[in-house]
Tab-separated table of all heavy atoms in Angstrom:
chain	number	residue	atom	x	y	z
A	95	GLY	N	1.301	16.536	-19.520
A	95	GLY	CA	2.267	15.491	-19.179
A	95	GLY	C	1.907	14.978	-17.806
A	95	GLY	O	2.325	15.553	-16.811
A	96	PRO	N	1.075	13.952	-17.739
A	96	PRO	CA	0.507	13.538	-16.447
A	96	PRO	C	1.554	13.046	-15.455
A	96	PRO	O	2.565	12.475	-15.835
A	96	PRO	CB	-0.456	12.417	-16.824
A	96	PRO	CG	-0.056	11.971	-18.168
A	96	PRO	CD	0.636	13.104	-18.836
A	97	TYR	N	1.271	13.320	-14.191
A	97	TYR	CA	2.066	12.764	-13.099
A	97	TYR	C	1.509	11.383	-12.791
A	97	TYR	O	0.323	11.238	-12.561
A	97	TYR	CB	1.939	13.630	-11.845
A	97	TYR	CG	2.561	14.993	-11.950
A	97	TYR	CD1	1.780	16.123	-12.162
A	97	TYR	CD2	3.937	15.162	-11.812
A	97	TYR	CE1	2.353	17.382	-12.243
A	97	TYR	CE2	4.514	16.418	-11.887
A	97	TYR	CZ	3.713	17.516	-12.098
A	97	TYR	OH	4.283	18.757	-12.172
A	98	GLN	N	2.374	10.389	-12.761
A	98	GLN	CA	1.946	9.037	-12.409
A	98	GLN	C	2.035	8.889	-10.895
A	98	GLN	O	2.913	8.217	-10.359
A	98	GLN	CB	2.815	8.000	-13.118
A	98	GLN	CG	2.714	8.047	-14.616
A	98	GLN	CD	1.307	7.713	-15.094
A	98	GLN	OE1	0.689	6.754	-14.633
A	98	GLN	NE2	0.794	8.495	-16.018
A	99	THR	N	1.138	9.577	-10.193
A	99	THR	CA	1.163	9.551	-8.735
A	99	THR	C	-0.250	9.459	-8.170
A	99	THR	O	-1.180	10.042	-8.719
A	99	THR	CB	1.903	10.789	-8.176
A	99	THR	OG1	2.005	10.679	-6.777
A	99	THR	CG2	1.208	12.082	-8.534
A	100	ASN	N	-0.382	8.703	-7.115
A	100	ASN	CA	-1.642	8.558	-6.380
A	100	ASN	C	-1.398	9.062	-4.966
A	100	ASN	O	-0.347	8.791	-4.384
A	100	ASN	CB	-2.078	7.094	-6.354
A	100	ASN	CG	-2.307	6.558	-7.745
A	100	ASN	OD1	-3.116	7.077	-8.489
A	100	ASN	ND2	-1.576	5.517	-8.108
A	101	LEU	N	-2.373	9.773	-4.420
A	101	LEU	CA	-2.159	10.464	-3.157
A	101	LEU	C	-3.272	10.219	-2.153
A	101	LEU	O	-4.436	10.056	-2.535
A	101	LEU	CB	-2.055	11.971	-3.404
A	101	LEU	CG	-1.054	12.422	-4.467
A	101	LEU	CD1	-1.311	13.859	-4.864
A	101	LEU	CD2	0.348	12.257	-3.956
A	102	LEU	N	-2.912	10.239	-0.881
A	102	LEU	CA	-3.859	10.270	0.223
A	102	LEU	C	-3.497	11.503	1.041
A	102	LEU	O	-2.435	11.542	1.670
A	102	LEU	CB	-3.766	8.999	1.066
A	102	LEU	CG	-4.249	7.728	0.383
A	102	LEU	CD1	-3.851	6.498	1.190
A	102	LEU	CD2	-5.754	7.768	0.195
A	103	LEU	N	-4.347	12.524	0.983
A	103	LEU	CA	-4.084	13.799	1.639
A	103	LEU	C	-4.916	13.888	2.908
A	103	LEU	O	-6.137	13.819	2.851
A	103	LEU	CB	-4.418	14.948	0.689
A	103	LEU	CG	-3.984	16.343	1.111
A	103	LEU	CD1	-3.703	17.170	-0.139
A	103	LEU	CD2	-5.005	17.054	1.954
A	104	GLY	N	-4.244	14.001	4.045
A	104	GLY	CA	-4.927	14.082	5.325
A	104	GLY	C	-4.591	15.370	6.036
A	104	GLY	O	-3.511	15.928	5.850
A	105	GLY	N	-5.525	15.833	6.847
A	105	GLY	CA	-5.269	17.056	7.588
A	105	GLY	C	-6.221	17.240	8.738
A	105	GLY	O	-7.169	16.464	8.928
A	106	PHE	N	-5.944	18.281	9.510
A	106	PHE	CA	-6.807	18.644	10.622
A	106	PHE	C	-7.033	20.145	10.559
A	106	PHE	O	-6.090	20.928	10.469
A	106	PHE	CB	-6.181	18.272	11.970
A	106	PHE	CG	-7.084	18.552	13.132
A	106	PHE	CD1	-7.979	17.599	13.558
A	106	PHE	CD2	-7.064	19.786	13.772
A	106	PHE	CE1	-8.834	17.856	14.624
A	106	PHE	CE2	-7.906	20.059	14.828
A	106	PHE	CZ	-8.804	19.089	15.258
A	107	ASP	N	-8.309	20.558	10.601
A	107	ASP	CA	-8.688	21.966	10.608
A	107	ASP	C	-9.493	22.230	11.874
A	107	ASP	O	-10.295	21.393	12.294
A	107	ASP	CB	-9.543	22.303	9.377
A	107	ASP	CG	-8.800	22.038	8.085
A	107	ASP	OD1	-7.831	22.750	7.817
A	107	ASP	OD2	-9.188	21.104	7.350
A	108	GLU	N	-9.301	23.402	12.454
A	108	GLU	CA	-10.011	23.757	13.693
A	108	GLU	C	-11.528	23.648	13.541
A	108	GLU	O	-12.211	23.145	14.412
A	108	GLU	CB	-9.640	25.173	14.133
A	108	GLU	CG	-8.242	25.298	14.696
A	108	GLU	CD	-8.039	24.520	15.986
A	108	GLU	OE1	-8.973	24.460	16.817
A	108	GLU	OE2	-6.941	23.959	16.154
A	109	THR	N	-12.053	24.115	12.408
A	109	THR	CA	-13.507	24.142	12.233
A	109	THR	C	-14.093	22.807	11.781
A	109	THR	O	-15.198	22.452	12.163
A	109	THR	CB	-13.912	25.226	11.213
A	109	THR	OG1	-13.207	24.991	9.990
A	109	THR	CG2	-13.584	26.605	11.739
A	110	MET	N	-13.360	22.071	10.950
A	110	MET	CA	-13.897	20.836	10.361
A	110	MET	C	-13.364	19.562	10.995
A	110	MET	O	-13.883	18.483	10.737
A	110	MET	CB	-13.596	20.808	8.866
A	110	MET	CG	-14.280	21.901	8.085
A	110	MET	SD	-13.783	21.918	6.368
A	110	MET	CE	-12.299	22.895	6.458
A	111	GLY	N	-12.296	19.660	11.770
A	111	GLY	CA	-11.697	18.477	12.362
A	111	GLY	C	-10.820	17.732	11.366
A	111	GLY	O	-10.312	18.305	10.407
A	112	ALA	N	-10.663	16.436	11.587
A	112	ALA	CA	-9.800	15.601	10.754
A	112	ALA	C	-10.525	15.193	9.474
A	112	ALA	O	-11.726	14.938	9.481
A	112	ALA	CB	-9.376	14.365	11.526
A	113	SER	N	-9.765	15.138	8.371
A	113	SER	CA	-10.346	14.687	7.099
A	113	SER	C	-9.268	14.038	6.239
A	113	SER	O	-8.073	14.246	6.443
A	113	SER	CB	-11.012	15.843	6.353
A	113	SER	OG	-10.093	16.879	6.108
A	114	LEU	N	-9.730	13.243	5.278
A	114	LEU	CA	-8.846	12.501	4.389
A	114	LEU	C	-9.408	12.557	2.975
A	114	LEU	O	-10.612	12.379	2.784
A	114	LEU	CB	-8.748	11.038	4.860
A	114	LEU	CG	-7.946	10.069	3.991
A	114	LEU	CD1	-6.473	10.456	3.977
A	114	LEU	CD2	-8.111	8.650	4.512
A	115	TYR	N	-8.532	12.790	1.995
A	115	TYR	CA	-8.929	12.846	0.589
A	115	TYR	C	-8.114	11.849	-0.219
A	115	TYR	O	-6.899	11.776	-0.088
A	115	TYR	CB	-8.737	14.259	0.024
A	115	TYR	CG	-9.751	15.220	0.581
A	115	TYR	CD1	-9.549	15.831	1.805
A	115	TYR	CD2	-10.937	15.464	-0.089
A	115	TYR	CE1	-10.499	16.680	2.347
A	115	TYR	CE2	-11.891	16.314	0.438
A	115	TYR	CZ	-11.662	16.918	1.663
A	115	TYR	OH	-12.607	17.752	2.193
A	116	TYR	N	-8.824	11.100	-1.056
A	116	TYR	CA	-8.242	10.107	-1.954
A	116	TYR	C	-8.121	10.761	-3.326
A	116	TYR	O	-9.117	11.203	-3.889
A	116	TYR	CB	-9.186	8.899	-2.010
A	116	TYR	CG	-8.810	7.797	-2.956
A	116	TYR	CD1	-8.191	6.655	-2.485
A	116	TYR	CD2	-9.099	7.876	-4.310
A	116	TYR	CE1	-7.870	5.615	-3.340
A	116	TYR	CE2	-8.769	6.847	-5.178
A	116	TYR	CZ	-8.157	5.721	-4.686
A	116	TYR	OH	-7.830	4.694	-5.529
A	117	LEU	N	-6.902	10.865	-3.849
A	117	LEU	CA	-6.674	11.452	-5.173
A	117	LEU	C	-5.871	10.458	-5.998
A	117	LEU	O	-4.944	9.826	-5.484
A	117	LEU	CB	-5.892	12.759	-5.059
A	117	LEU	CG	-6.569	13.872	-4.270
A	117	LEU	CD1	-5.856	14.116	-2.969
A	117	LEU	CD2	-6.627	15.130	-5.085
A	118	ASP	N	-6.214	10.327	-7.276
A	118	ASP	CA	-5.424	9.438	-8.125
A	118	ASP	C	-4.840	10.207	-9.305
A	118	ASP	O	-5.080	11.394	-9.480
A	118	ASP	CB	-6.222	8.216	-8.561
A	118	ASP	CG	-7.335	8.519	-9.553
A	118	ASP	OD1	-7.413	9.651	-10.051
A	118	ASP	OD2	-8.129	7.610	-9.818
A	119	TYR	N	-4.052	9.504	-10.119
A	119	TYR	CA	-3.326	10.151	-11.215
A	119	TYR	C	-4.253	10.684	-12.308
A	119	TYR	O	-3.846	11.500	-13.121
A	119	TYR	CB	-2.285	9.190	-11.793
A	119	TYR	CG	-2.869	8.079	-12.636
A	119	TYR	CD1	-2.831	8.152	-14.018
A	119	TYR	CD2	-3.451	6.959	-12.054
A	119	TYR	CE1	-3.358	7.136	-14.799
A	119	TYR	CE2	-3.983	5.948	-12.816
A	119	TYR	CZ	-3.925	6.040	-14.190
A	119	TYR	OH	-4.460	5.036	-14.950
A	120	LEU	N	-5.513	10.258	-12.327
A	120	LEU	CA	-6.481	10.767	-13.298
A	120	LEU	C	-7.243	11.973	-12.764
A	120	LEU	O	-8.237	12.398	-13.344
A	120	LEU	CB	-7.455	9.665	-13.704
A	120	LEU	CG	-6.827	8.509	-14.476
A	120	LEU	CD1	-7.826	7.378	-14.666
A	120	LEU	CD2	-6.292	8.984	-15.810
A	121	ALA	N	-6.795	12.524	-11.643
A	121	ALA	CA	-7.344	13.744	-11.040
A	121	ALA	C	-8.726	13.556	-10.434
A	121	ALA	O	-9.490	14.495	-10.347
A	121	ALA	CB	-7.341	14.902	-12.036
A	122	SER	N	-9.035	12.355	-10.001
A	122	SER	CA	-10.273	12.185	-9.230
A	122	SER	C	-9.951	12.507	-7.776
A	122	SER	O	-8.832	12.315	-7.309
A	122	SER	CB	-10.818	10.766	-9.362
A	122	SER	OG	-9.976	9.852	-8.724
A	123	SER	N	-10.935	13.024	-7.064
A	123	SER	CA	-10.746	13.386	-5.670
A	123	SER	C	-12.022	13.081	-4.907
A	123	SER	O	-13.106	13.470	-5.328
A	123	SER	CB	-10.420	14.880	-5.553
A	123	SER	OG	-10.371	15.282	-4.209
A	124	ASN	N	-11.884	12.377	-3.809
A	124	ASN	CA	-13.027	12.039	-2.962
A	124	ASN	C	-12.645	12.132	-1.504
A	124	ASN	O	-11.560	11.696	-1.115
A	124	ASN	CB	-13.508	10.608	-3.241
A	124	ASN	CG	-14.140	10.474	-4.595
A	124	ASN	OD1	-15.138	11.117	-4.877
A	124	ASN	ND2	-13.544	9.646	-5.433
A	125	LYS	N	-13.539	12.682	-0.709
A	125	LYS	CA	-13.350	12.662	0.737
A	125	LYS	C	-13.745	11.272	1.215
A	125	LYS	O	-14.814	10.781	0.873
A	125	LYS	CB	-14.209	13.733	1.414
A	125	LYS	CG	-13.969	13.830	2.891
A	125	LYS	CD	-14.762	14.955	3.518
A	125	LYS	CE	-14.459	14.985	5.002
A	125	LYS	NZ	-15.272	15.976	5.696
Side-chain angles (χ1 to χ4, degrees):
Y97 292 102
Q98 297 297 314
T99 185
N100 299 302
L101 308 165
L102 291 168
L103 190 150
F106 184 89
D107 300 292
E108 287 295 323
T109 55
M110 296 175 275
S113 58
L114 175 65
Y115 289 84
Y116 176 100
L117 298 110
D118 70 9
Y119 74 101
L120 294 172
S122 68
S123 174
N124 291 299
K125 185 176 180 185

